[in-house]
């Protein structure tokens, strides 16, 4: 604005008022100033403007921490967050922890220094200490967790019904005649892993079946699934079904089974958990539990903005559950 003022021989205040369409500046002068600004690629700095206004009202920028950008579920959550935030006049500032605790801590500090009004976060896989989250809460920054919640701090969260989704999926597999059902899950340090395992286990027990420890593995990606599955399928009494913690893991099982000569689903049924685009790109198409990531993102924004604007007090914990549904395709009988 100083450059514009100097070039046109007016004050900085006049430039500022003209760019804001103030009636205190004549229409002719406003147009001259605005035309010059356009021609010289001048655009307002919205972050600077928000910082100025934040002295009297919250800065309308939400920090979002995503474990991995390349994971379909997290990208769909992010899409829901961006659309819901934009609809309410908020912008988002997004960072990827890449599943690293140290990176997550640094992002939290950066968001605080940049004065975001609140943070929506899914914690990294290797996060076992939660001081950085508690510090933010102590500093008055609202937090809302999604997907991977942090049990070490008491704050709002939006999750899917992991237990029921897993329970319904395994119950369906049992109903199609499967009896030896393997489980591939993530680290039991995370609540979603515990909930999905418990749903798997309880579905077996309800049907009078005993979980076989040989068929319960920590495996949550395609690479590990392709590495570990040959050992499982080389046993004398191989599983007749697999329930995997996500679609990528399920697809790793699928392609390994096919390479080893097994027919899917005639010999082995496979069920994933996500319902991403890859679920319909594989052959046969994957039966899976739909997580509805976009809806999770929308709900997280609603809760966070309610905290920011005072409709939900900071000390009150809001817990929301987004329902899953089983999508039956061709990898099950």
């Amino acid at each position: 604005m100083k450059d514009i003022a100097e070039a046109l021989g007016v004050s900085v205040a006049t430039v500022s008022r003209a760019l804001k369409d103030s009636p205190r500046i004549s229409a002719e002068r406003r147009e001259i100033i605005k035309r010059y600004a356009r021609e010289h690629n001048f655009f307002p700095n919205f972050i600077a403007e928000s910082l100025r206004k934040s002295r009297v009202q919250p800065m309308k920028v939400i920090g979002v921490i995503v474990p991995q950008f390349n994971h379909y579920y997290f990208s769909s959550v992010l899409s829901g967050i961006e659309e819901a935030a934009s609809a309410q006049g908020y912008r988002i500032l997004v960072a990827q922890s890449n599943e690293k605790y140290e990176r997550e801590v640094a992002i939290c500090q950066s968001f605080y220094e940049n004065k975001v009004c609140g943070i929506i976060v899914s914690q990294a896989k290797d996060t076992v200490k939660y001081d950085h989250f508690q510090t933010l809460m102590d500093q008055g920054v609202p937090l809302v967790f999604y997907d991977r919640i942090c049990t070490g701090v008491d704050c709002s969260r939006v999750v899917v019904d992991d237990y029921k989704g897993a329970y319904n999926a395994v119950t369906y597999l049992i109903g199609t005649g499967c009896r030896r059902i393997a489980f591939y899950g993530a680290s039991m340090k995370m609540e979603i892993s515990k909930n999905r395992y418990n749903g798997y286990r309880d579905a077996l027990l309800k049907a009078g079946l005993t979980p076989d420890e040989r068929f319960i593995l920590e495996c949550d990606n395609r690479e590990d699934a392709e590495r570990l599955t040959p050992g499982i399928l080389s046993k004398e009494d191989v599983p007749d079904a697999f329930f995997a913690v996500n679609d990528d893991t399920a697809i790793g099982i699928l392609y390994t089974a096919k390479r080893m000569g097994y027919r899917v689903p005639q010999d082995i049924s496979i069920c994933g958990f996500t319902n991403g685009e890859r679920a319909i790109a594989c052959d046969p198409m994957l039966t899976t539990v739909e997580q509805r990531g976009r809806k999770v993102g929308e709900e997280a924004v609603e809760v966070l903005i309610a905290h920011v604007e005072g409709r939900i007090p900071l000390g009150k914990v809001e817990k929301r559950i987004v329902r899953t549904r089983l999508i039956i395709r061709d990898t099950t009988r």
Side-chain angles (χ1 to χ4, degrees):
M1 287 194 293
K2 288 180 182 178
D3 291 341
I4 296 172
E6 183 177 342
L8 297 179
V10 297
S11 69
V12 173
T14 296
V15 173
S16 177
R17 294 189 184 107
L19 294 175
K20 295 177 181 177
D21 279 325
S22 170
R24 297 174 60 183
I25 309 298
S26 69
E28 181 181 2
R29 176 159 288 184
R30 288 203 306 268
E31 180 54 32
I32 291 171
I33 292 172
K34 289 165 73 175
R35 186 189 313 121
Y36 185 92
R38 288 194 301 270
E39 290 172 351
H40 292 78
N41 297 313
F42 171 87
F43 298 98
N45 186 325
F46 290 109
I47 292 180
E49 179 72 3
S50 295
L51 285 170
R52 183 180 68 81
K53 290 181 177 179
S54 68
R55 297 170 186 171
V56 293
Q57 65 187 49
M59 180 172 170
K60 302 187 80 170
V61 176
I62 297 169
V64 182
I65 303 179
V66 179
Q68 290 181 317
F69 284 137
N70 63 355
H71 194 293
Y72 173 84
Y73 176 67
F74 293 128
S75 65
S76 64
V77 172
L78 185 58
S79 179
I81 290 173
E82 196 281 328
E83 289 187 12
S86 178
Q88 298 195 55
Y90 285 74
R91 297 180 178 83
I92 63 171
L93 188 61
V94 187
Q96 175 181 235
S97 68
N98 204 25
E99 303 289 13
K100 301 298 182 184
Y101 165 78
E102 294 81 5
R103 175 70 181 147
E104 186 178 84
V105 172
I107 293 169
C108 286
Q109 180 62 29
S110 175
F111 280 172
Y112 179 73
E113 291 171 355
N114 283 280
K115 300 190 182 300
V116 298
C117 65
I119 297 174
I120 298 173
V121 55
S122 182
Q123 74 174 52
K125 282 182 184 177
D126 64 356
T127 295
V128 293
K129 296 188 293 184
Y130 313 114
D131 293 352
H132 53 304
F133 295 136
Q134 188 61 56
T135 297
L136 287 169
M137 294 178 64
D138 292 344
Q139 292 167 333
V141 179
L143 291 184
V144 175
F145 281 88
Y146 68 94
D147 190 52
R148 303 177 192 165
I149 65 173
C150 174
T151 57
V153 295
D154 195 21
C155 65
S156 295
R157 72 279 309 268
V158 178
V159 296
V160 300
D161 54 346
D162 292 294
Y163 173 89
K164 189 172 182 181
Y167 181 90
N168 289 343
V170 176
T171 297
Y172 172 77
L173 290 172
I174 294 169
T176 63
C178 299
R179 292 296 179 268
R180 298 185 305 280
I181 303 173
F183 175 80
Y184 282 18
S187 168
M188 287 299 173
K189 296 175 182 176
M190 296 188 294
E191 286 300 303
I192 62 166
S193 301
K194 295 176 185 176
N195 291 336
R196 292 179 194 177
Y197 170 74
N198 288 338
Y200 155 83
R201 180 200 61 196
D202 289 354
L204 291 179
L205 295 176
K206 179 73 179 295
L209 302 173
T210 302
D212 190 331
E213 294 296 327
R214 297 175 303 159
F215 299 154
I216 298 172
L217 282 74
E218 184 174 318
C219 175
D220 65 353
N221 60 75
R222 179 170 178 169
E223 181 181 0
D224 286 347
E226 293 186 0
R227 177 175 57 85
L228 295 171
T229 302
I232 296 292
L233 293 182
S234 297
K235 297 182 184 298
E236 184 176 340
D237 52 343
V238 301
D240 54 14
F242 288 80
F243 174 64
V245 71
N246 57 46
D247 286 355
D248 282 351
T249 303
I251 291 169
I253 298 167
L254 169 63
Y255 279 90
T256 301
K258 289 172 63 178
R259 282 198 304 269
M260 295 179 67
Y262 289 93
R263 299 170 301 163
V264 178
Q266 294 89 341
D267 300 326
I268 296 172
S269 290
I270 301 169
C271 180
F273 205 115
T274 300
N275 195 33
E277 294 176 354
R278 294 175 186 172
I280 58 174
C282 58
D283 181 27
M285 291 191 290
L286 184 67
T287 293
T288 186
V289 179
E290 185 178 45
Q291 284 185 269
R292 301 175 64 202
R294 185 181 294 270
K295 178 65 173 176
V296 170
E298 292 169 354
E299 292 282 339
V301 167
E302 184 177 319
V303 172
L304 185 72
I305 292 178
H307 278 307
V308 170
E309 297 181 353
R311 296 190 301 277
I312 301 177
L314 283 180
K316 184 179 185 301
V317 174
E318 181 80 1
K319 299 178 182 179
R320 297 194 182 180
I321 298 175
V322 174
R323 302 299 176 191
T324 58
R325 63 173 181 152
L326 181 64
I327 307 297
I328 300 170
R329 297 196 180 98
D330 299 331
T331 56
T332 52
R333 301 167 191 168

